[in-house]
Amino acid sequence: MSYLNPGLPQPAPARDGLDEAYWKAAQEGKLVLQRCKDCGAYQWGPEWTCHRCCSENLTFEEIPPYGRIYSYERVWHPVHPALSEQGPYIIVLVEIPDRDGARMVGNLLGDPQQEVQIGAPVRAVFEHHEAEQINYTLVQWEVDAS
């Protein structure tokens, strides 16, 4: 079951292949970040060079699927025609702990009216779409109550 209404554009790896490893890992239920092999820095989104040392020696590394809410937005106005009947929904900016301040964006699952607390722990949820034109997996987030 999809969190948002059907009809949204389907995500796909960039044509240059830069983020292909991220999408493949997500399909396998794994969360990855880009990491520099020279200085060890983590970064997101994927780039051809390291944000810290400008090295081109980058790889993707699996990380635990947990983070903390750094910021959020409750979206009330549709940003796409497929969302005209959907709202609100919550988008979160999740900071990944112990990964050089790397932050990822995703939807926060659950009640769209829920109270959202900055710093709340969240865990990644992998939403698989296999009946579409192409198979893909979205990384969503939910509050980690454990």
Side-chain angles (χ1 to χ4, degrees):
M1 183 173 151
S2 178
Y3 176 67
L4 297 175
N5 290 343
L8 292 170
Q10 298 174 354
R15 291 182 186 199
D16 61 9
L18 180 60
D19 61 355
E20 187 172 351
Y22 167 79
W23 291 106
K24 185 175 190 291
Q27 283 187 322
E28 296 170 1
K30 299 174 184 174
L31 189 61
V32 297
L33 282 180
Q34 203 173 34
R35 188 171 194 192
C36 179
K37 290 182 178 181
D38 291 334
C39 74
Y42 289 90
Q43 63 186 32
W44 189 258
E47 296 286 345
W48 291 110
T49 59
C50 174
H51 297 172
R52 183 186 292 163
C53 74
C54 296
S55 169
E56 295 176 2
N57 194 12
L58 298 162
T59 189
F60 283 85
E61 184 175 293
E62 184 176 0
I63 60 166
Y66 298 97
R68 294 203 172 271
I69 296 176
Y70 183 83
S71 184
Y72 74 97
E73 178 71 30
R74 195 177 318 265
V75 180
W76 292 89
H77 302 285
V79 295
H80 187 277
L83 298 174
S84 63
E85 301 296 320
Q86 176 126 21
Y89 57 95
I90 302 170
I91 299 172
V92 288
L93 179 61
V94 174
E95 186 168 78
I96 309 301
D98 305 318
R99 299 300 188 267
D100 301 315
R103 299 180 188 129
M104 304 177 93
V105 175
N107 295 310
L108 183 64
L109 302 179
D111 182 355
Q113 300 286 351
Q114 68 185 292
E115 182 181 335
V116 181
Q117 293 185 342
I118 302 299
V122 290
R123 68 179 177 86
V125 174
F126 300 92
E127 183 181 284
H128 302 286
H129 295 258
E130 297 175 353
E132 309 289 336
Q133 294 174 354
I134 59 170
N135 292 339
Y136 64 95
T137 299
L138 296 177
V139 177
Q140 311 280 30
W141 298 92
E142 68 181 1
V143 174
D144 185 12
S146 58

